[in-house]
Amino acid sequence: MTGTVSELILAALAFLAIHIVPSSVLRERVVSRIGEKAYMAGFSLLSVVVLIWLVMAYRAAPFGNMLWDAGNGGRHLAMLLMLIASILFFSAITSPNPTAIGADKMLGKESAYSGINAITRHPMMWSFMLWSIAHIVNNGDITSIVFFGTFGLLAFAGTFLIDAKKARQLKDGWGAYEARTSNIPFAAIVQGRATLSITPLWWRILAGIVLFAALYLLHPLAFGVSPGPI
């Protein structure tokens, strides 16, 4: 570790590259040669190694060069964003979603179009984007912007990369799914292409609030900083 911002940027670029380049260019070719299981095993291992490098580079990089200080206003905004992110995250991990690996058969089920999927077909990615924004707002130094921005940028790009991959794999079936859902939260509902139903969401919303409360309380213990207003 060199403990420089340059190494952090290099690790960030490597993390983005191993997720974006194979997904958009090489994945199908590699899978056709070595198989899906071998590809996923190798990709997962490489992802973990580069993630560890990114985290270590962030911890070693110097803090300074503050571009802004959002103050308590930023902290209040972050709490709101993290509450929404927690609800999206919990909903994503408890709701079957056709964008997940191996979930293609869900396209024929009504659950693919209801609940959190009616709000956005990428709830997990949007939870990461909101998490990234919340931390960038309250950490206005270059080091933190590079680190947290990497995850937000990857999540944003991921929504389009996943859509493109599914469109190639499922063709007309994916087109029909896209017509009834949206990437941008609530867009399909506002446009009348999807219907919001509280029945599959209410307990996930409550659990998301509990998750947010747990993250809020554990944040000082895990990171030594309280996320609440000063």
Side-chain angles (χ1 to χ4, degrees):
M1 303 299 297
T2 61
T4 64
V5 175
S6 297
E7 182 178 8
L8 173 62
I9 293 174
L10 182 61
L13 291 175
F15 188 73
L16 290 171
I18 64 171
H19 286 84
I20 293 176
V21 174
S23 177
S24 58
V25 179
L26 302 174
R27 189 181 192 280
E28 283 77 7
R29 297 179 186 176
V30 177
V31 169
S32 66
R33 293 187 178 184
I34 67 174
E36 182 75 24
K37 291 184 178 179
Y39 171 82
M40 289 306 300
F43 174 76
S44 298
L45 178 60
L46 181 60
S47 296
V48 170
V49 170
V50 178
L51 176 60
I52 292 173
W53 178 30
L54 177 60
V55 172
M56 291 178 64
Y58 172 64
R59 292 171 63 90
F63 287 87
N65 298 316
M66 293 291 296
L67 301 181
W68 64 77
D69 182 356
N72 278 338
R75 288 171 175 257
H76 284 296
L77 175 60
M79 290 177 67
L80 174 61
L81 293 178
M82 285 304 301
L83 174 60
I84 299 172
S86 298
I87 294 172
L88 287 171
F89 180 83
F90 189 87
S91 298
I93 64 175
T94 58
S95 302
N97 188 300
T99 65
I101 298 174
D104 300 346
K105 295 181 179 179
M106 271 203 64
L107 288 178
K109 300 180 180 179
E110 193 58 31
S111 58
Y113 306 92
S114 62
I116 195 64
N117 297 329
I119 296 175
T120 173
R121 58 179 174 267
H122 298 293
M124 181 72 75
M125 296 296 101
W126 279 96
S127 73
F128 289 148
M129 278 187 266
L130 294 181
W131 171 84
S132 171
I133 293 170
H135 285 77
I136 288 175
V137 167
N138 288 280
N139 295 274
D141 61 285
I142 294 177
T143 300
S144 295
I145 293 170
V146 172
F147 179 73
F148 293 109
T150 298
F151 296 99
L153 178 60
L154 179 59
F156 178 71
T159 63
F160 298 100
L161 293 172
I162 292 171
D163 283 354
K165 180 180 70 174
K166 291 294 183 178
R168 292 193 302 269
Q169 293 174 344
L170 305 176
K171 298 181 171 53
D172 292 342
W174 182 254
Y177 181 66
E178 277 190 314
R180 292 182 57 187
T181 59
S182 62
N183 179 359
I184 300 175
F186 294 101
I189 295 173
V190 172
Q191 295 168 356
R193 297 185 287 114
T195 302
L196 179 63
S197 176
I198 299 299
T199 302
L201 281 176
W202 69 268
W203 67 272
R204 292 182 170 93
I205 294 173
L206 292 178
I209 294 173
V210 173
L211 174 61
F212 165 75
L215 292 173
Y216 180 85
L217 293 174
L218 292 174
H219 199 280
L221 297 176
F223 304 104
V225 179
S226 173
I230 299 175

